[in-house]
Amino acid sequence: MKKLLQVWGLVTVLMLMGATVSYASAFRIGDQGSEVAEIQGQLAGLGYDVTADGDFGPATAEAVKAFQRENGLTPDGLVGESTYAALLGKAMPNEAVSRGSNYINRRIVATSMQYIGVPYVFGGTSPSGFDCSGFVRYVFAQAGVVLPRAADEQYYMGMPVATGDLRTGDLVFFSTYEYGPSHVGIYLGDGNFINASSSRGVAVDSLYSSYWGSCYIGARRVM
């Protein structure tokens, strides 16, 4: 059954990745690459708290908002034409860019953020209450990606990812109330992940906090 779920999950991802080319109307959470790193580098050079790692995560969006507010632009956290020109002093590239699974990643991140504050319910799989793996499975399902139900099953999906190579949409796993992968969340970038925890419900936490850092056991990429 586990192998069947793995195959179905990979087939679903391949189908979704059919349309991988879009126009860069705005850079946003989930985007990656050298152009994002250039944006981040310029922000960092202006004194904003962001790292030029090429991964447009929540911290980058907050830095963009701060830049926009200080320059009389709409603080939406998106780097569109006006923000790009004000920040980099040149026109935004208008050629088609390949984003691949980044579109799916952005959709997963956007969906996951809608449920911040939803209470933790053991065995919960819906917006009325989630447990950790139920939350991850529900969010990915909204993007058409099928995952197994339990955290320990999700741990065997996709491929392992080193901590230094994490990108938005990766699954991050922790050993909490029992040995092995007993808790799972969705990586958001900038060292943050979103999860359904028993103490706070759906919330954003730091992968490097004293608690989560101590029980982190690895990550998987399913897209």
Side-chain angles (χ1 to χ4, degrees):
M1 182 62 177
K2 183 179 294 182
K3 289 184 178 179
L4 177 61
L5 287 168
Q6 291 175 341
V7 171
W8 174 243
L10 290 173
V11 169
T12 303
V13 170
L14 290 173
M15 291 174 63
L16 283 167
M17 290 179 67
T20 60
V21 176
S22 61
Y23 286 88
S25 58
F27 293 96
R28 66 196 72 198
I29 287 179
D31 284 343
Q32 297 166 326
S34 59
E35 290 172 323
V36 171
E38 183 181 11
I39 290 168
Q40 293 171 319
Q42 186 67 14
L43 287 166
L46 292 172
Y48 296 99
D49 186 15
V50 64
T51 302
D53 59 3
D55 187 353
F56 199 127
T60 301
E62 289 304 311
V64 170
K65 288 179 184 179
F67 172 82
Q68 290 169 326
R69 282 192 292 267
E70 293 177 10
N71 288 273
L73 301 166
T74 303
D76 56 10
L78 305 177
V79 182
E81 293 181 4
S82 297
T83 299
Y84 192 93
L87 180 61
L88 296 172
K90 61 183 180 180
M92 187 171 174
N94 59 8
E95 70 271 14
V97 294
S98 176
R99 284 179 166 165
S101 63
N102 286 341
Y103 169 78
I104 305 173
N105 292 344
R106 290 197 306 274
R107 183 172 175 182
I108 285 170
V109 168
T111 300
S112 69
M113 299 294 280
Q114 294 176 19
Y115 300 107
I116 289 178
V118 169
Y120 178 88
V121 174
F122 183 76
T125 59
S126 74
S128 61
F130 289 112
D131 65 13
C132 67
S133 57
F135 172 65
V136 168
R137 188 173 192 269
Y138 181 89
V139 168
F140 271 71
Q142 304 315 296
V145 181
V146 178
L147 294 178
R149 172 64 183 91
D152 58 349
E153 293 176 316
Q154 293 172 2
Y155 186 70
Y156 293 98
M157 296 294 291
M159 62 181 183
V161 181
T163 305
D165 295 326
L166 280 168
R167 71 185 188 198
T168 303
D170 287 341
L171 300 181
V172 287
F173 293 88
F174 308 85
S175 179
T176 53
Y177 63 90
E178 64 180 14
Y179 180 77
S182 54
H183 188 79
V184 60
I186 302 169
Y187 188 67
L188 300 176
D190 300 313
N192 298 309
F193 70 100
I194 188 168
N195 68 126
S197 68
S198 58
S199 60
R200 300 172 59 204
V202 178
V204 175
D205 289 298
S206 171
L207 191 65
Y208 307 113
S209 68
S210 58
Y211 175 73
W212 292 114
S214 67
C215 56
Y216 175 70
I217 60 171
R220 308 288 293 191
R221 181 167 299 154
V222 300
M223 299 179 286

PDB file of all heavy atoms in Angstrom, residues 145-171:
ATOM      1  N   VAL A 145      -1.631  17.282  -4.919  1.00  0.00           N
ATOM      2  CA  VAL A 145      -0.555  16.343  -4.586  1.00  0.00           C
ATOM      3  C   VAL A 145      -1.025  15.406  -3.484  1.00  0.00           C
ATOM      4  O   VAL A 145      -1.388  15.855  -2.396  1.00  0.00           O
ATOM      5  CB  VAL A 145       0.717  17.088  -4.129  1.00  0.00           C
ATOM      6  CG1 VAL A 145       1.831  16.095  -3.815  1.00  0.00           C
ATOM      7  CG2 VAL A 145       1.169  18.077  -5.198  1.00  0.00           C
ATOM      8  N   VAL A 146      -1.030  14.113  -3.764  1.00  0.00           N
ATOM      9  CA  VAL A 146      -1.539  13.121  -2.821  1.00  0.00           C
ATOM     10  C   VAL A 146      -0.407  12.600  -1.946  1.00  0.00           C
ATOM     11  O   VAL A 146       0.615  12.121  -2.441  1.00  0.00           O
ATOM     12  CB  VAL A 146      -2.196  11.946  -3.569  1.00  0.00           C
ATOM     13  CG1 VAL A 146      -2.689  10.896  -2.572  1.00  0.00           C
ATOM     14  CG2 VAL A 146      -3.350  12.442  -4.426  1.00  0.00           C
ATOM     15  N   LEU A 147      -0.580  12.710  -0.630  1.00  0.00           N
ATOM     16  CA  LEU A 147       0.390  12.196   0.327  1.00  0.00           C
ATOM     17  C   LEU A 147      -0.273  11.156   1.222  1.00  0.00           C
ATOM     18  O   LEU A 147      -1.495  11.178   1.408  1.00  0.00           O
ATOM     19  CB  LEU A 147       0.926  13.334   1.208  1.00  0.00           C
ATOM     20  CG  LEU A 147       1.762  14.416   0.535  1.00  0.00           C
ATOM     21  CD1 LEU A 147       2.155  15.478   1.557  1.00  0.00           C
ATOM     22  CD2 LEU A 147       3.004  13.821  -0.113  1.00  0.00           C
ATOM     23  N   PRO A 148       0.506  10.255   1.811  1.00  0.00           N
ATOM     24  CA  PRO A 148      -0.056   9.314   2.779  1.00  0.00           C
ATOM     25  C   PRO A 148      -0.585  10.060   4.003  1.00  0.00           C
ATOM     26  O   PRO A 148      -0.311  11.239   4.201  1.00  0.00           O
ATOM     27  CB  PRO A 148       1.132   8.427   3.152  1.00  0.00           C
ATOM     28  CG  PRO A 148       2.139   8.629   2.072  1.00  0.00           C
ATOM     29  CD  PRO A 148       1.943  10.024   1.589  1.00  0.00           C
ATOM     30  N   ARG A 149      -1.295   9.370   4.859  1.00  0.00           N
ATOM     31  CA  ARG A 149      -1.953   9.988   6.005  1.00  0.00           C
ATOM     32  C   ARG A 149      -0.998  10.282   7.164  1.00  0.00           C
ATOM     33  O   ARG A 149      -1.073  11.354   7.778  1.00  0.00           O
ATOM     34  CB  ARG A 149      -3.093   9.075   6.494  1.00  0.00           C
ATOM     35  CG  ARG A 149      -3.731   9.500   7.803  1.00  0.00           C
ATOM     36  CD  ARG A 149      -4.425  10.851   7.682  1.00  0.00           C
ATOM     37  NE  ARG A 149      -4.980  11.268   8.974  1.00  0.00           N
ATOM     38  CZ  ARG A 149      -4.330  11.992   9.869  1.00  0.00           C
ATOM     39  NH1 ARG A 149      -3.076  12.388   9.636  1.00  0.00           N
ATOM     40  NH2 ARG A 149      -4.912  12.337  11.000  1.00  0.00           N
ATOM     41  N   ALA A 150      -0.094   9.365   7.474  1.00  0.00           N
ATOM     42  CA  ALA A 150       0.706   9.483   8.689  1.00  0.00           C
ATOM     43  C   ALA A 150       2.083  10.082   8.423  1.00  0.00           C
ATOM     44  O   ALA A 150       2.645   9.947   7.325  1.00  0.00           O
ATOM     45  CB  ALA A 150       0.865   8.117   9.342  1.00  0.00           C
ATOM     46  N   ALA A 151       2.653  10.739   9.444  1.00  0.00           N
ATOM     47  CA  ALA A 151       3.959  11.375   9.303  1.00  0.00           C
ATOM     48  C   ALA A 151       5.047  10.370   8.943  1.00  0.00           C
ATOM     49  O   ALA A 151       5.914  10.649   8.115  1.00  0.00           O
ATOM     50  CB  ALA A 151       4.331  12.107  10.592  1.00  0.00           C
ATOM     51  N   ASP A 152       5.018   9.190   9.564  1.00  0.00           N
ATOM     52  CA  ASP A 152       6.064   8.215   9.276  1.00  0.00           C
ATOM     53  C   ASP A 152       5.956   7.682   7.854  1.00  0.00           C
ATOM     54  O   ASP A 152       6.965   7.280   7.256  1.00  0.00           O
ATOM     55  CB  ASP A 152       6.058   7.078  10.296  1.00  0.00           C
ATOM     56  CG  ASP A 152       4.731   6.341  10.367  1.00  0.00           C
ATOM     57  OD1 ASP A 152       3.734   6.818   9.790  1.00  0.00           O
ATOM     58  OD2 ASP A 152       4.685   5.274  11.019  1.00  0.00           O
ATOM     59  N   GLU A 153       4.756   7.687   7.270  1.00  0.00           N
ATOM     60  CA  GLU A 153       4.599   7.295   5.869  1.00  0.00           C
ATOM     61  C   GLU A 153       5.046   8.423   4.938  1.00  0.00           C
ATOM     62  O   GLU A 153       5.692   8.181   3.909  1.00  0.00           O
ATOM     63  CB  GLU A 153       3.141   6.945   5.589  1.00  0.00           C
ATOM     64  CG  GLU A 153       2.635   5.717   6.297  1.00  0.00           C
ATOM     65  CD  GLU A 153       1.145   5.475   6.050  1.00  0.00           C
ATOM     66  OE1 GLU A 153       0.363   6.440   6.111  1.00  0.00           O
ATOM     67  OE2 GLU A 153       0.800   4.317   5.769  1.00  0.00           O
ATOM     68  N   GLN A 154       4.723   9.656   5.299  1.00  0.00           N
ATOM     69  CA  GLN A 154       5.134  10.800   4.495  1.00  0.00           C
ATOM     70  C   GLN A 154       6.657  10.910   4.434  1.00  0.00           C
ATOM     71  O   GLN A 154       7.214  11.418   3.454  1.00  0.00           O
ATOM     72  CB  GLN A 154       4.523  12.081   5.061  1.00  0.00           C
ATOM     73  CG  GLN A 154       3.010  12.145   4.928  1.00  0.00           C
ATOM     74  CD  GLN A 154       2.401  13.329   5.663  1.00  0.00           C
ATOM     75  OE1 GLN A 154       3.101  14.150   6.250  1.00  0.00           O
ATOM     76  NE2 GLN A 154       1.067  13.412   5.648  1.00  0.00           N
ATOM     77  N   TYR A 155       7.315  10.422   5.469  1.00  0.00           N
ATOM     78  CA  TYR A 155       8.770  10.500   5.549  1.00  0.00           C
ATOM     79  C   TYR A 155       9.451   9.705   4.426  1.00  0.00           C
ATOM     80  O   TYR A 155      10.615   9.953   4.109  1.00  0.00           O
ATOM     81  CB  TYR A 155       9.236   9.971   6.909  1.00  0.00           C
ATOM     82  CG  TYR A 155      10.714  10.138   7.169  1.00  0.00           C
ATOM     83  CD1 TYR A 155      11.266  11.398   7.381  1.00  0.00           C
ATOM     84  CD2 TYR A 155      11.562   9.028   7.221  1.00  0.00           C
ATOM     85  CE1 TYR A 155      12.631  11.552   7.634  1.00  0.00           C
ATOM     86  CE2 TYR A 155      12.919   9.172   7.471  1.00  0.00           C
ATOM     87  CZ  TYR A 155      13.444  10.440   7.675  1.00  0.00           C
ATOM     88  OH  TYR A 155      14.778  10.586   7.921  1.00  0.00           O
ATOM     89  N   TYR A 156       8.745   8.771   3.831  1.00  0.00           N
ATOM     90  CA  TYR A 156       9.330   7.943   2.777  1.00  0.00           C
ATOM     91  C   TYR A 156       8.943   8.415   1.376  1.00  0.00           C
ATOM     92  O   TYR A 156       9.270   7.778   0.382  1.00  0.00           O
ATOM     93  CB  TYR A 156       8.933   6.474   2.967  1.00  0.00           C
ATOM     94  CG  TYR A 156       9.552   5.887   4.209  1.00  0.00           C
ATOM     95  CD1 TYR A 156       8.824   5.797   5.385  1.00  0.00           C
ATOM     96  CD2 TYR A 156      10.885   5.477   4.216  1.00  0.00           C
ATOM     97  CE1 TYR A 156       9.396   5.286   6.544  1.00  0.00           C
ATOM     98  CE2 TYR A 156      11.469   4.961   5.367  1.00  0.00           C
ATOM     99  CZ  TYR A 156      10.718   4.878   6.529  1.00  0.00           C
ATOM    100  OH  TYR A 156      11.292   4.385   7.671  1.00  0.00           O
ATOM    101  N   MET A 157       8.268   9.545   1.290  1.00  0.00           N
ATOM    102  CA  MET A 157       7.922  10.120  -0.008  1.00  0.00           C
ATOM    103  C   MET A 157       9.096  10.910  -0.570  1.00  0.00           C
ATOM    104  O   MET A 157       9.917  11.449   0.174  1.00  0.00           O
ATOM    105  CB  MET A 157       6.701  11.041   0.123  1.00  0.00           C
ATOM    106  CG  MET A 157       5.418  10.344   0.533  1.00  0.00           C
ATOM    107  SD  MET A 157       4.823   9.191  -0.714  1.00  0.00           S
ATOM    108  CE  MET A 157       4.333  10.331  -2.009  1.00  0.00           C
ATOM    109  N   GLY A 158       9.161  11.011  -1.896  1.00  0.00           N
ATOM    110  CA  GLY A 158      10.147  11.870  -2.536  1.00  0.00           C
ATOM    111  C   GLY A 158      11.579  11.472  -2.239  1.00  0.00           C
ATOM    112  O   GLY A 158      11.922  10.297  -2.156  1.00  0.00           O
ATOM    113  N   MET A 159      12.431  12.498  -2.050  1.00  0.00           N
ATOM    114  CA  MET A 159      13.851  12.245  -1.815  1.00  0.00           C
ATOM    115  C   MET A 159      14.337  13.057  -0.619  1.00  0.00           C
ATOM    116  O   MET A 159      13.798  14.116  -0.302  1.00  0.00           O
ATOM    117  CB  MET A 159      14.671  12.608  -3.055  1.00  0.00           C
ATOM    118  CG  MET A 159      14.589  14.062  -3.443  1.00  0.00           C
ATOM    119  SD  MET A 159      15.563  14.398  -4.933  1.00  0.00           S
ATOM    120  CE  MET A 159      15.354  16.181  -5.069  1.00  0.00           C
ATOM    121  N   PRO A 160      15.374  12.575   0.062  1.00  0.00           N
ATOM    122  CA  PRO A 160      15.898  13.318   1.220  1.00  0.00           C
ATOM    123  C   PRO A 160      16.558  14.621   0.789  1.00  0.00           C
ATOM    124  O   PRO A 160      17.111  14.724  -0.311  1.00  0.00           O
ATOM    125  CB  PRO A 160      16.909  12.340   1.826  1.00  0.00           C
ATOM    126  CG  PRO A 160      17.303  11.450   0.696  1.00  0.00           C
ATOM    127  CD  PRO A 160      16.092  11.317  -0.169  1.00  0.00           C
ATOM    128  N   VAL A 161      16.511  15.620   1.662  1.00  0.00           N
ATOM    129  CA  VAL A 161      17.078  16.938   1.381  1.00  0.00           C
ATOM    130  C   VAL A 161      17.952  17.356   2.562  1.00  0.00           C
ATOM    131  O   VAL A 161      17.512  17.296   3.716  1.00  0.00           O
ATOM    132  CB  VAL A 161      15.969  17.995   1.173  1.00  0.00           C
ATOM    133  CG1 VAL A 161      16.580  19.349   0.849  1.00  0.00           C
ATOM    134  CG2 VAL A 161      15.012  17.565   0.080  1.00  0.00           C
ATOM    135  N   ALA A 162      19.164  17.807   2.261  1.00  0.00           N
ATOM    136  CA  ALA A 162      20.041  18.309   3.310  1.00  0.00           C
ATOM    137  C   ALA A 162      19.504  19.636   3.837  1.00  0.00           C
ATOM    138  O   ALA A 162      18.870  20.398   3.094  1.00  0.00           O
ATOM    139  CB  ALA A 162      21.455  18.500   2.765  1.00  0.00           C
ATOM    140  N   THR A 163      19.770  19.918   5.094  1.00  0.00           N
ATOM    141  CA  THR A 163      19.262  21.149   5.710  1.00  0.00           C
ATOM    142  C   THR A 163      19.690  22.388   4.927  1.00  0.00           C
ATOM    143  O   THR A 163      18.901  23.312   4.728  1.00  0.00           O
ATOM    144  CB  THR A 163      19.760  21.264   7.160  1.00  0.00           C
ATOM    145  OG1 THR A 163      19.385  20.091   7.876  1.00  0.00           O
ATOM    146  CG2 THR A 163      19.158  22.487   7.847  1.00  0.00           C
ATOM    147  N   GLY A 164      20.907  22.397   4.434  1.00  0.00           N
ATOM    148  CA  GLY A 164      21.398  23.544   3.683  1.00  0.00           C
ATOM    149  C   GLY A 164      20.767  23.706   2.317  1.00  0.00           C
ATOM    150  O   GLY A 164      20.923  24.751   1.684  1.00  0.00           O
ATOM    151  N   ASP A 165      20.058  22.676   1.844  1.00  0.00           N
ATOM    152  CA  ASP A 165      19.438  22.718   0.521  1.00  0.00           C
ATOM    153  C   ASP A 165      17.915  22.847   0.585  1.00  0.00           C
ATOM    154  O   ASP A 165      17.239  22.705  -0.437  1.00  0.00           O
ATOM    155  CB  ASP A 165      19.793  21.452  -0.269  1.00  0.00           C
ATOM    156  CG  ASP A 165      21.282  21.363  -0.569  1.00  0.00           C
ATOM    157  OD1 ASP A 165      21.903  22.427  -0.778  1.00  0.00           O
ATOM    158  OD2 ASP A 165      21.820  20.237  -0.589  1.00  0.00           O
ATOM    159  N   LEU A 166      17.373  23.104   1.770  1.00  0.00           N
ATOM    160  CA  LEU A 166      15.930  23.207   1.918  1.00  0.00           C
ATOM    161  C   LEU A 166      15.357  24.310   1.038  1.00  0.00           C
ATOM    162  O   LEU A 166      15.962  25.369   0.877  1.00  0.00           O
ATOM    163  CB  LEU A 166      15.566  23.501   3.374  1.00  0.00           C
ATOM    164  CG  LEU A 166      15.570  22.322   4.343  1.00  0.00           C
ATOM    165  CD1 LEU A 166      15.474  22.816   5.774  1.00  0.00           C
ATOM    166  CD2 LEU A 166      14.431  21.367   4.018  1.00  0.00           C
ATOM    167  N   ARG A 167      14.181  24.050   0.471  1.00  0.00           N
ATOM    168  CA  ARG A 167      13.485  25.078  -0.272  1.00  0.00           C
ATOM    169  C   ARG A 167      11.997  25.027   0.063  1.00  0.00           C
ATOM    170  O   ARG A 167      11.496  24.047   0.612  1.00  0.00           O
ATOM    171  CB  ARG A 167      13.714  24.932  -1.776  1.00  0.00           C
ATOM    172  CG  ARG A 167      13.024  23.754  -2.429  1.00  0.00           C
ATOM    173  CD  ARG A 167      13.405  23.639  -3.892  1.00  0.00           C
ATOM    174  NE  ARG A 167      12.612  22.624  -4.570  1.00  0.00           N
ATOM    175  CZ  ARG A 167      12.954  22.076  -5.735  1.00  0.00           C
ATOM    176  NH1 ARG A 167      14.074  22.441  -6.321  1.00  0.00           N
ATOM    177  NH2 ARG A 167      12.171  21.171  -6.300  1.00  0.00           N
ATOM    178  N   THR A 168      11.321  26.106  -0.268  1.00  0.00           N
ATOM    179  CA  THR A 168       9.901  26.235   0.042  1.00  0.00           C
ATOM    180  C   THR A 168       9.110  25.023  -0.441  1.00  0.00           C
ATOM    181  O   THR A 168       9.265  24.591  -1.581  1.00  0.00           O
ATOM    182  CB  THR A 168       9.336  27.505  -0.626  1.00  0.00           C
ATOM    183  OG1 THR A 168      10.091  28.630  -0.191  1.00  0.00           O
ATOM    184  CG2 THR A 168       7.876  27.699  -0.270  1.00  0.00           C
ATOM    185  N   GLY A 169       8.266  24.492   0.431  1.00  0.00           N
ATOM    186  CA  GLY A 169       7.420  23.358   0.071  1.00  0.00           C
ATOM    187  C   GLY A 169       7.980  22.011   0.488  1.00  0.00           C
ATOM    188  O   GLY A 169       7.269  21.002   0.416  1.00  0.00           O
ATOM    189  N   ASP A 170       9.243  21.971   0.924  1.00  0.00           N
ATOM    190  CA  ASP A 170       9.795  20.699   1.409  1.00  0.00           C
ATOM    191  C   ASP A 170       9.111  20.302   2.717  1.00  0.00           C
ATOM    192  O   ASP A 170       8.653  21.161   3.483  1.00  0.00           O
ATOM    193  CB  ASP A 170      11.303  20.829   1.662  1.00  0.00           C
ATOM    194  CG  ASP A 170      12.115  20.896   0.371  1.00  0.00           C
ATOM    195  OD1 ASP A 170      11.591  20.500  -0.689  1.00  0.00           O
ATOM    196  OD2 ASP A 170      13.267  21.360   0.428  1.00  0.00           O
ATOM    197  N   LEU A 171       9.057  19.010   2.969  1.00  0.00           N
ATOM    198  CA  LEU A 171       8.511  18.514   4.228  1.00  0.00           C
ATOM    199  C   LEU A 171       9.643  18.378   5.235  1.00  0.00           C
ATOM    200  O   LEU A 171      10.704  17.831   4.923  1.00  0.00           O
ATOM    201  CB  LEU A 171       7.847  17.143   4.024  1.00  0.00           C
ATOM    202  CG  LEU A 171       6.682  17.080   3.028  1.00  0.00           C
ATOM    203  CD1 LEU A 171       6.126  15.662   2.967  1.00  0.00           C
ATOM    204  CD2 LEU A 171       5.598  18.061   3.411  1.00  0.00           C
TER     205      LEU A 171
END
